[in-house]
Amino acid sequence: MEQKINDLQMYALIDASAAPEVLETVKKVIATYGRRIRNGFVVTPHGEDNVIFFEVKKKECPIVEILSSLAGKYGLYPAYVIQENKDHLPKYAKNIWYMVDEVKFEIPDMDAEKLEAWKATYRQRLKEIYRDDSVFVKSFVYLGKSGTVHVMSFNSERSPKYRGTELGVPEWNDTMEGIIRWAGPSEVTKMSVRYTNL
């Protein structure tokens, strides 16, 4: 099922590989601006790393500057902010925002053990795609409290031969269609979003 989202929605993803005391500090800071802070991971053909997900709850706030400061201070990369409403930009953000395609999907009835098995299979699938089709897919994943796995991917990589400023590769959308067919999710959301890499 494909959905469109019209309400203002903004969320952020930040590296969570730092020491526990650093992560506690980061979570306390972002709790002022965010809600539903969740631990997750990013999966690529090359492996996996821990990330923190959170929704940005304030409509106009310096969240990009704050995350940039935290990322720089503690070496927390990747760090991204995604805005799903194209008609509204953060008031204070001075960095570059790109329009990229986003595909999100959900898989229900998961627990931590099933997720580990799914993650290994998914990572292998991404490796095969990268090897056979030369399309790099990076997916951000977390397990919701209801036992639903949430997976989000962005067409944010540049082709190695491309020298322009736009992000994305044309083959990515077809590749994501194949991943969706393979994964068999219960819900799928596709949209263009504003995306910034801190």
Side-chain angles (χ1 to χ4, degrees):
M1 172 181 7
E2 190 170 317
Q3 298 176 343
K4 292 288 182 186
I5 294 180
N6 297 316
D7 296 331
L8 171 66
Q9 293 204 17
M10 191 176 188
Y11 58 94
L13 308 150
I14 190 163
D15 175 34
S17 61
E21 58 271 19
V22 169
L23 293 182
E24 284 309 307
T25 300
V26 170
K27 286 182 178 181
K28 284 178 185 173
V29 172
I30 63 178
T32 306
Y33 304 97
R35 63 183 175 191
R36 298 190 180 111
I37 298 173
R38 294 186 173 91
N39 296 318
F41 51 89
V42 55
V43 182
T44 74
H46 309 313
E48 129 191 17
D49 288 300
N50 294 327
V51 291
I52 298 171
F53 293 74
F54 68 96
E55 292 180 41
V56 180
K57 66 183 180 182
K58 295 192 175 179
K59 194 168 187 178
E60 292 183 352
C61 68
I63 191 65
V64 173
E65 285 75 9
I66 288 164
L67 285 181
S68 293
S69 175
L70 289 171
K73 183 175 182 180
Y74 297 115
L76 302 176
Y77 300 99
Y80 305 101
V81 176
I82 294 91
Q83 172 134 345
E84 294 180 344
N85 185 308
K86 297 186 297 240
D87 300 323
H88 176 82
L89 271 174
K91 186 175 182 181
Y92 304 101
K94 297 174 183 168
N95 57 312
I96 298 172
W97 289 82
Y98 299 94
M99 289 301 298
V100 301
D101 290 334
E102 177 188 34
V103 172
K104 297 195 292 189
F105 61 85
E106 298 178 3
I107 301 174
D109 302 322
M110 283 270 196
D111 56 25
E113 188 176 329
K114 287 181 184 176
L115 179 59
E116 284 303 310
W118 180 88
K119 185 169 36 171
T121 305
Y122 188 65
R123 189 168 57 239
Q124 184 59 37
R125 182 75 186 119
L126 296 187
K127 281 184 185 178
E128 291 167 2
I129 290 168
Y130 187 59
R131 181 194 65 216
D132 298 340
D133 304 326
S134 299
V135 178
F136 186 86
V137 175
K138 179 191 299 182
S139 294
F140 298 90
V141 183
Y142 71 88
L143 179 61
K145 292 181 180 177
S146 64
T148 297
V149 170
H150 300 263
V151 182
M152 53 207 75
S153 305
F154 308 94
N155 190 5
S156 59
E157 303 298 319
R158 285 188 177 96
S159 170
K161 297 177 182 177
Y162 177 64
R163 296 291 175 253
T165 58
E166 297 297 314
L167 298 184
V169 293
E171 304 86 359
W172 186 87
N173 287 295
D174 287 342
T175 297
M176 290 308 301
E177 287 295 330
I179 287 174
I180 289 167
R181 287 191 298 275
W182 171 85
S186 60
E187 294 207 16
V188 178
T189 305
K190 301 175 187 176
M191 68 188 86
S192 292
V193 297
R194 281 198 174 108
Y195 167 104
T196 188
N197 183 345
L198 310 180

Coordinates of all heavy atoms in Angstrom, one line a residue, residues 44-120:
T44 N 24.3 -1.3 5.3 CA 24.8 -1.1 4.0 C 25.4 -2.4 3.5 O 25.5 -3.4 4.2 CB 25.9 0.0 3.9 OG1 27.1 -0.6 4.5 CG2 25.5 1.2 4.7
P45 N 25.8 -2.5 2.2 CA 26.4 -3.7 1.7 C 27.7 -4.0 2.5 O 28.2 -5.1 2.4 CB 26.7 -3.4 0.2 CG 25.7 -2.3 -0.1 CD 25.5 -1.5 1.1
H46 N 28.3 -3.0 3.1 CA 29.6 -3.1 3.8 C 29.4 -3.5 5.3 O 30.5 -3.7 5.9 CB 30.4 -1.9 3.6 CG 30.5 -1.4 2.2 ND1 30.8 -2.3 1.1 CD2 30.3 -0.2 1.6 CE1 30.8 -1.6 0.0 NE2 30.5 -0.3 0.3
G47 N 28.2 -3.5 5.8 CA 28.1 -3.8 7.3 C 27.0 -3.0 7.9 O 26.0 -2.6 7.3
E48 N 27.2 -2.8 9.2 CA 26.1 -2.2 10.0 C 26.7 -1.4 11.1 O 27.8 -1.7 11.7 CB 25.1 -3.3 10.5 CG 24.8 -3.3 11.9 CD 24.1 -4.5 12.4 OE1 24.1 -5.6 11.8 OE2 23.6 -4.4 13.5
D49 N 26.0 -0.3 11.5 CA 26.4 0.5 12.6 C 25.1 1.0 13.4 O 24.0 1.0 12.8 CB 27.1 1.8 12.2 CG 28.5 1.5 11.6 OD1 29.3 1.0 12.4 OD2 28.7 1.8 10.4
N50 N 25.3 1.3 14.6 CA 24.1 1.7 15.5 C 23.8 3.2 15.2 O 24.7 4.0 15.0 CB 24.5 1.5 17.0 CG 24.6 0.1 17.3 OD1 24.0 -0.8 16.8 ND2 25.5 -0.2 18.3
V51 N 22.5 3.5 15.2 CA 22.1 4.9 15.1 C 20.9 5.2 16.1 O 20.3 4.2 16.6 CB 21.6 5.2 13.7 CG1 22.7 5.2 12.7 CG2 20.5 4.3 13.3
I52 N 20.7 6.4 16.4 CA 19.6 6.9 17.2 C 18.6 7.6 16.2 O 19.0 8.4 15.4 CB 20.0 7.9 18.2 CG1 21.0 7.3 19.2 CG2 18.8 8.5 19.0 CD1 21.6 8.3 20.2
F53 N 17.3 7.2 16.3 CA 16.2 7.9 15.6 C 15.5 8.8 16.5 O 15.2 8.4 17.6 CB 15.2 6.8 15.0 CG 15.8 5.9 14.0 CD1 16.6 4.9 14.3 CD2 15.4 6.0 12.7 CE1 17.1 4.0 13.4 CE2 15.8 5.1 11.7 CZ 16.7 4.1 12.1
F54 N 15.0 9.9 16.0 CA 14.0 10.7 16.8 C 13.3 11.6 15.9 O 13.8 12.1 14.9 CB 14.7 11.4 18.0 CG 15.6 12.6 17.6 CD1 15.1 13.9 17.6 CD2 16.9 12.3 17.3 CE1 15.9 14.9 17.3 CE2 17.7 13.4 17.0 CZ 17.2 14.7 17.0
E55 N 12.0 11.8 16.3 CA 11.2 12.8 15.6 C 11.5 14.2 16.2 O 11.6 14.4 17.4 CB 9.7 12.5 15.8 CG 9.3 11.2 15.1 CD 7.8 10.9 15.4 OE1 7.0 11.9 15.3 OE2 7.4 9.8 15.6
V56 N 11.5 15.2 15.3 CA 11.6 16.6 15.7 C 10.3 17.1 16.0 O 9.4 17.2 15.1 CB 12.4 17.4 14.6 CG1 12.5 18.8 15.1 CG2 13.7 16.8 14.3
K57 N 10.0 17.5 17.2 CA 8.7 17.9 17.6 C 8.4 19.4 17.5 O 7.2 19.9 17.5 CB 8.4 17.5 19.0 CG 9.2 18.1 20.1 CD 8.9 17.6 21.5 CE 9.7 18.3 22.5 NZ 9.4 17.7 23.9
K58 N 9.4 20.3 17.4 CA 9.2 21.7 17.3 C 9.3 22.1 15.9 O 10.2 21.8 15.1 CB 10.3 22.4 18.2 CG 10.1 22.1 19.7 CD 10.9 23.1 20.5 CE 10.6 22.8 22.0 NZ 11.4 23.6 22.9
K59 N 8.3 23.0 15.5 CA 8.2 23.3 14.1 C 9.4 24.2 13.6 O 9.9 24.0 12.5 CB 6.9 24.1 13.8 CG 6.5 24.2 12.4 CD 5.1 24.7 12.2 CE 4.6 24.6 10.8 NZ 3.3 25.0 10.6
E60 N 9.8 25.1 14.4 CA 11.0 25.9 14.0 C 11.9 25.9 15.2 O 11.7 26.5 16.2 CB 10.5 27.4 13.7 CG 9.7 27.4 12.4 CD 9.4 28.9 12.0 OE1 9.6 29.8 12.8 OE2 8.8 29.1 10.9
C61 N 13.0 25.2 15.0 CA 14.0 25.1 16.1 C 15.4 24.9 15.4 O 15.5 24.5 14.3 CB 13.6 24.0 17.0 SG 13.8 22.4 16.3
P62 N 16.4 25.2 16.2 CA 17.8 25.1 15.7 C 18.3 23.6 15.7 O 19.5 23.4 16.1 CB 18.6 26.0 16.6 CG 17.9 25.9 17.9 CD 16.4 25.8 17.5
I63 N 17.5 22.7 15.4 CA 17.9 21.3 15.5 C 19.1 20.9 14.6 O 20.0 20.1 15.0 CB 16.7 20.3 15.3 CG1 17.0 18.9 15.7 CG2 16.3 20.4 13.8 CD1 17.2 18.7 17.2
V64 N 19.2 21.5 13.4 CA 20.3 21.1 12.6 C 21.6 21.7 13.1 O 22.6 20.9 13.2 CB 20.0 21.7 11.1 CG1 21.3 21.5 10.3 CG2 18.8 21.1 10.5
E65 N 21.6 22.9 13.7 CA 22.8 23.4 14.3 C 23.2 22.7 15.5 O 24.4 22.4 15.7 CB 22.6 24.9 14.6 CG 22.6 25.8 13.5 CD 21.3 25.8 12.6 OE1 20.3 25.1 13.0 OE2 21.3 26.4 11.5
I66 N 22.2 22.3 16.3 CA 22.5 21.5 17.5 C 23.1 20.1 17.2 O 24.1 19.7 17.8 CB 21.2 21.4 18.4 CG1 20.9 22.7 19.0 CG2 21.4 20.3 19.5 CD1 19.5 22.8 19.5
L67 N 22.5 19.4 16.2 CA 23.0 18.1 15.8 C 24.4 18.3 15.2 O 25.3 17.4 15.4 CB 22.1 17.4 14.8 CG 20.8 16.9 15.4 CD1 20.0 16.2 14.4 CD2 21.1 15.9 16.5
S68 N 24.6 19.3 14.4 CA 25.9 19.5 13.8 C 27.0 19.7 14.9 O 28.1 19.2 14.8 CB 25.9 20.8 12.9 OG 25.1 20.6 11.8
S69 N 26.6 20.5 15.9 CA 27.5 20.7 17.0 C 27.8 19.4 17.8 O 29.0 19.1 18.1 CB 26.9 21.7 18.0 OG 27.8 21.9 19.1
L70 N 26.8 18.6 18.1 CA 27.0 17.4 18.8 C 27.8 16.4 17.9 O 28.7 15.7 18.4 CB 25.6 16.7 19.1 CG 24.8 17.4 20.2 CD1 23.4 16.8 20.2 CD2 25.4 17.3 21.5
A71 N 27.5 16.3 16.6 CA 28.2 15.4 15.7 C 29.7 15.8 15.7 O 30.6 14.9 15.7 CB 27.6 15.4 14.3
G72 N 30.0 17.1 15.6 CA 31.4 17.5 15.6 C 32.1 17.3 16.9 O 33.3 16.9 16.9
K73 N 31.4 17.6 18.0 CA 32.1 17.4 19.3 C 32.4 16.0 19.6 O 33.5 15.7 20.2 CB 31.1 18.0 20.3 CG 31.7 18.0 21.7 CD 30.8 18.7 22.7 CE 31.4 18.7 24.1 NZ 30.5 19.4 25.1
Y74 N 31.5 15.1 19.3 CA 31.6 13.7 19.7 C 32.0 12.7 18.5 O 32.1 11.5 18.7 CB 30.4 13.2 20.3 CG 30.0 13.9 21.6 CD1 28.9 14.7 21.7 CD2 30.9 13.8 22.7 CE1 28.6 15.4 22.9 CE2 30.6 14.5 23.9 CZ 29.5 15.3 24.0 OH 29.2 16.0 25.1
G75 N 32.1 13.3 17.3 CA 32.5 12.4 16.1 C 31.3 11.5 15.8 O 31.6 10.3 15.4
L76 N 30.1 12.0 15.8 CA 28.9 11.2 15.5 C 28.5 11.3 14.1 O 27.8 12.2 13.7 CB 27.8 11.6 16.5 CG 28.1 11.5 18.0 CD1 26.9 12.1 18.8 CD2 28.4 10.1 18.4
Y77 N 29.0 10.4 13.3 CA 28.6 10.4 11.9 C 28.3 8.9 11.5 O 29.0 8.0 11.9 CB 29.7 10.9 11.0 CG 30.1 12.4 11.3 CD1 31.1 12.7 12.2 CD2 29.3 13.4 10.9 CE1 31.4 14.0 12.5 CE2 29.5 14.7 11.3 CZ 30.6 15.0 12.1 OH 30.9 16.3 12.4
P78 N 27.2 8.6 10.7 CA 26.4 9.6 10.0 C 25.4 10.4 10.9 O 25.1 10.0 12.0 CB 25.5 8.7 9.1 CG 25.4 7.4 9.8 CD 26.7 7.3 10.6
A79 N 25.1 11.6 10.4 CA 24.0 12.4 11.1 C 23.2 13.0 10.0 O 23.8 13.7 9.1 CB 24.7 13.4 12.0
Y80 N 21.9 12.8 10.0 CA 21.0 13.3 9.0 C 19.8 14.0 9.6 O 19.3 13.6 10.7 CB 20.5 12.2 8.1 CG 21.6 11.4 7.4 CD1 21.9 10.1 7.9 CD2 22.3 11.8 6.3 CE1 22.9 9.4 7.4 CE2 23.3 11.1 5.7 CZ 23.6 9.8 6.2 OH 24.6 9.1 5.7
V81 N 19.2 14.9 8.9 CA 17.9 15.4 9.2 C 17.0 15.3 7.9 O 17.5 15.6 6.9 CB 17.9 16.9 9.7 CG1 16.4 17.4 9.9 CG2 18.7 17.0 11.0
I82 N 15.8 14.7 8.1 CA 14.9 14.5 7.0 C 13.6 15.2 7.2 O 13.1 15.2 8.3 CB 14.6 13.0 6.8 CG1 15.9 12.2 6.4 CG2 13.6 12.8 5.7 CD1 16.7 11.7 7.6
Q83 N 13.2 16.0 6.2 CA 12.0 16.7 6.3 C 11.0 16.3 5.2 O 11.3 16.3 4.0 CB 12.3 18.2 6.1 CG 11.0 19.0 6.0 CD 11.0 20.3 6.9 OE1 11.9 20.4 7.8 NE2 10.1 21.1 6.6
E84 N 9.9 15.8 5.6 CA 8.9 15.2 4.7 C 8.0 16.2 4.1 O 7.4 15.9 3.0 CB 8.1 14.1 5.3 CG 9.0 12.9 5.7 CD 8.3 11.8 6.4 OE1 7.1 12.0 6.8 OE2 8.8 10.7 6.5
N85 N 7.9 17.4 4.6 CA 7.0 18.4 4.1 C 7.8 19.4 3.3 O 8.7 20.1 3.8 CB 6.3 19.1 5.2 CG 5.3 20.1 4.7 OD1 5.6 21.0 3.9 ND2 4.0 20.0 5.2
K86 N 7.7 19.4 2.0 CA 8.5 20.2 1.1 C 8.3 21.7 1.2 O 9.1 22.4 0.7 CB 8.3 19.7 -0.4 CG 8.7 18.3 -0.6 CD 8.6 18.0 -2.1 CE 7.2 18.1 -2.6 NZ 6.6 16.9 -3.2
D87 N 7.2 22.1 1.8 CA 6.8 23.5 1.8 C 7.3 24.2 3.1 O 7.1 25.4 3.3 CB 5.3 23.7 1.7 CG 4.8 23.1 0.5 OD1 5.4 23.2 -0.5 OD2 3.7 22.5 0.5
H88 N 8.1 23.5 3.9 CA 8.5 24.2 5.1 C 10.0 23.8 5.4 O 10.4 22.6 5.4 CB 7.7 23.7 6.3 CG 8.1 24.2 7.6 ND1 7.8 25.5 8.1 CD2 8.9 23.7 8.6 CE1 8.4 25.7 9.2 NE2 9.0 24.6 9.6
L89 N 10.8 24.8 5.6 CA 12.2 24.5 6.0 C 12.5 25.0 7.4 O 11.9 26.0 7.8 CB 13.2 25.2 5.0 CG 13.6 24.5 3.7 CD1 14.4 25.4 2.8 CD2 14.4 23.2 4.1
P90 N 13.4 24.4 8.1 CA 13.8 24.9 9.4 C 14.2 26.3 9.4 O 15.0 26.7 8.5 CB 14.9 24.0 9.8 CG 14.7 22.7 9.0 CD 14.1 23.2 7.7
K91 N 13.8 27.1 10.3 CA 14.0 28.6 10.2 C 15.5 28.9 10.3 O 15.9 29.8 9.7 CB 13.2 29.2 11.4 CG 13.3 30.7 11.4 CD 12.4 31.3 12.5 CE 12.3 32.8 12.5 NZ 11.5 33.3 13.6
Y92 N 16.2 28.1 11.1 CA 17.6 28.5 11.4 C 18.6 27.8 10.6 O 19.8 28.0 10.7 CB 17.9 28.2 12.9 CG 16.9 28.9 13.8 CD1 15.8 28.3 14.4 CD2 17.0 30.3 14.1 CE1 14.9 28.9 15.3 CE2 16.1 31.0 14.9 CZ 15.1 30.2 15.5 OH 14.2 30.9 16.3
A93 N 18.2 26.8 9.8 CA 19.2 26.0 9.1 C 19.9 26.7 8.0 O 19.2 27.3 7.1 CB 18.5 24.7 8.6
K94 N 21.2 26.7 8.0 CA 22.0 27.4 7.0 C 22.7 26.4 6.1 O 23.4 26.8 5.2 CB 23.0 28.3 7.6 CG 22.4 29.4 8.5 CD 23.4 30.2 9.2 CE 22.7 31.3 10.1 NZ 23.6 31.9 11.1
N95 N 22.5 25.1 6.3 CA 23.2 24.1 5.5 C 22.5 23.8 4.2 O 21.4 24.3 4.0 CB 23.4 22.9 6.4 CG 22.1 22.3 6.9 OD1 21.3 23.1 7.4 ND2 21.8 21.1 6.7
I96 N 23.1 23.0 3.4 CA 22.4 22.6 2.1 C 21.4 21.5 2.3 O 21.7 20.5 2.9 CB 23.5 22.2 1.1 CG1 24.5 23.3 0.8 CG2 22.9 21.7 -0.2 CD1 25.7 22.9 0.0
W97 N 20.2 21.7 1.7 CA 19.2 20.7 1.8 C 19.0 20.2 0.3 O 19.0 21.0 -0.6 CB 17.9 21.3 2.2 CG 17.8 21.6 3.7 CD1 18.3 22.7 4.3 CD2 17.3 20.8 4.7 NE1 18.1 22.7 5.6 CE2 17.5 21.5 5.9 CE3 16.7 19.5 4.8 CZ2 17.1 21.0 7.2 CZ3 16.3 19.0 6.0 CH2 16.5 19.7 7.2
Y98 N 18.9 18.9 0.2 CA 18.7 18.2 -1.1 C 17.3 17.6 -1.1 O 16.8 17.2 -0.1 CB 19.8 17.1 -1.3 CG 21.2 17.6 -1.3 CD1 21.9 17.6 -0.1 CD2 21.8 18.1 -2.4 CE1 23.3 18.0 -0.1 CE2 23.1 18.5 -2.4 CZ 23.8 18.4 -1.2 OH 25.2 18.9 -1.2
M99 N 16.8 17.6 -2.3 CA 15.6 16.8 -2.6 C 16.0 15.4 -3.0 O 16.7 15.3 -4.0 CB 14.7 17.4 -3.6 CG 14.0 18.8 -3.2 SD 13.0 18.6 -1.7 CE 11.7 17.5 -2.3
V100 N 15.5 14.4 -2.2 CA 15.9 13.0 -2.6 C 14.6 12.2 -2.5 O 13.7 12.5 -1.7 CB 17.0 12.4 -1.7 CG1 18.3 13.2 -1.8 CG2 16.6 12.3 -0.3
D101 N 14.6 11.0 -3.1 CA 13.5 10.1 -3.0 C 13.7 9.3 -1.7 O 14.8 8.8 -1.4 CB 13.4 9.1 -4.2 CG 13.0 9.8 -5.4 OD1 12.3 10.8 -5.3 OD2 13.4 9.4 -6.5
E102 N 12.6 9.0 -1.0 CA 12.7 8.2 0.2 C 11.7 7.0 0.0 O 10.6 7.2 -0.5 CB 12.2 9.0 1.4 CG 12.2 8.1 2.7 CD 11.6 8.9 3.9 OE1 10.7 9.7 3.7 OE2 12.0 8.6 5.0
V103 N 12.1 5.8 0.4 CA 11.2 4.7 0.5 C 11.2 4.2 1.9 O 12.3 3.9 2.4 CB 11.6 3.6 -0.5 CG1 10.8 2.3 -0.3 CG2 11.5 4.1 -1.9
K104 N 10.0 4.1 2.5 CA 9.9 3.5 3.9 C 9.0 2.3 3.8 O 8.0 2.4 3.1 CB 9.3 4.5 4.8 CG 10.1 5.8 5.0 CD 9.7 6.5 6.3 CE 8.4 7.2 6.1 NZ 8.1 8.1 7.2
F105 N 9.3 1.3 4.5 CA 8.4 0.2 4.6 C 8.4 -0.4 6.0 O 9.3 -0.2 6.8 CB 8.6 -0.9 3.5 CG 9.9 -1.6 3.5 CD1 10.2 -2.7 4.3 CD2 10.9 -1.1 2.7 CE1 11.4 -3.3 4.3 CE2 12.2 -1.8 2.6 CZ 12.4 -2.9 3.4
E106 N 7.3 -1.2 6.3 CA 7.2 -1.8 7.6 C 6.9 -3.3 7.5 O 6.2 -3.7 6.6 CB 6.0 -1.2 8.4 CG 6.1 0.3 8.6 CD 4.9 0.9 9.3 OE1 3.9 0.2 9.6 OE2 4.9 2.1 9.5
I107 N 7.5 -4.0 8.4 CA 7.3 -5.5 8.5 C 6.9 -5.8 9.9 O 7.6 -5.6 10.9 CB 8.6 -6.2 8.1 CG1 9.1 -5.9 6.8 CG2 8.4 -7.7 8.3 CD1 10.5 -6.4 6.4
P108 N 5.6 -6.3 10.0 CA 5.1 -6.6 11.4 C 5.6 -7.9 11.9 O 6.3 -8.7 11.3 CB 3.6 -6.6 11.1 CG 3.5 -7.1 9.7 CD 4.7 -6.6 9.0
D109 N 5.2 -8.2 13.2 CA 5.4 -9.5 13.9 C 6.9 -9.8 14.0 O 7.3 -10.9 13.6 CB 4.6 -10.6 13.1 CG 3.1 -10.3 13.1 OD1 2.6 -9.8 14.0 OD2 2.5 -10.6 12.0
M110 N 7.7 -8.9 14.4 CA 9.1 -9.2 14.7 C 9.4 -9.1 16.1 O 8.8 -8.3 16.9 CB 9.9 -8.2 13.9 CG 10.0 -8.4 12.4 SD 11.4 -9.5 12.0 CE 11.5 -9.1 10.3
D111 N 10.4 -9.8 16.6 CA 11.0 -9.6 17.9 C 12.5 -9.5 17.7 O 13.0 -9.5 16.6 CB 10.6 -10.7 18.9 CG 11.0 -12.1 18.3 OD1 12.0 -12.2 17.5 OD2 10.4 -13.1 18.8
A112 N 13.2 -9.3 18.8 CA 14.7 -9.1 18.6 C 15.4 -10.2 18.0 O 16.3 -10.0 17.1 CB 15.3 -8.8 20.0
E113 N 15.0 -11.5 18.3 CA 15.6 -12.6 17.7 C 15.3 -12.7 16.2 O 16.2 -12.9 15.4 CB 15.1 -13.9 18.4 CG 15.9 -15.1 18.0 CD 15.5 -16.4 18.8 OE1 15.1 -16.2 19.9 OE2 15.5 -17.5 18.2
K114 N 14.1 -12.5 15.8 CA 13.7 -12.6 14.4 C 14.4 -11.4 13.6 O 14.8 -11.6 12.5 CB 12.2 -12.4 14.2 CG 11.4 -13.6 14.6 CD 9.9 -13.3 14.3 CE 9.0 -14.5 14.8 NZ 7.6 -14.1 14.6
L115 N 14.5 -10.3 14.3 CA 15.2 -9.1 13.6 C 16.6 -9.4 13.3 O 17.1 -9.0 12.2 CB 15.1 -7.9 14.5 CG 15.7 -6.6 14.0 CD1 15.1 -6.2 12.6 CD2 15.6 -5.5 15.0
E116 N 17.3 -10.1 14.2 CA 18.7 -10.4 13.9 C 18.9 -11.3 12.7 O 19.7 -11.1 11.8 CB 19.4 -11.1 15.1 CG 19.7 -10.2 16.3 CD 20.6 -9.1 15.9 OE1 21.7 -9.3 15.3 OE2 20.3 -7.9 16.2
A117 N 18.0 -12.3 12.6 CA 18.0 -13.1 11.4 C 17.6 -12.4 10.1 O 18.3 -12.5 9.1 CB 17.1 -14.3 11.6
W118 N 16.6 -11.5 10.2 CA 16.2 -10.7 9.1 C 17.3 -9.8 8.6 O 17.6 -9.6 7.4 CB 14.9 -9.9 9.4 CG 14.4 -9.1 8.3 CD1 13.6 -9.4 7.3 CD2 14.8 -7.7 8.0 NE1 13.4 -8.4 6.4 CE2 14.1 -7.3 6.9 CE3 15.6 -6.8 8.7 CZ2 14.3 -6.0 6.3 CZ3 15.7 -5.5 8.2 CH2 15.1 -5.1 7.0
K119 N 18.0 -9.1 9.6 CA 19.0 -8.2 9.3 C 20.2 -8.8 8.6 O 20.7 -8.3 7.6 CB 19.5 -7.6 10.7 CG 20.5 -6.6 10.5 CD 20.8 -5.8 11.8 CE 20.8 -6.7 13.1 NZ 21.3 -5.9 14.2
A120 N 20.6 -10.1 9.0 CA 21.6 -10.8 8.2 C 21.2 -11.1 6.8 O 22.0 -10.9 5.9 CB 22.0 -12.1 9.0

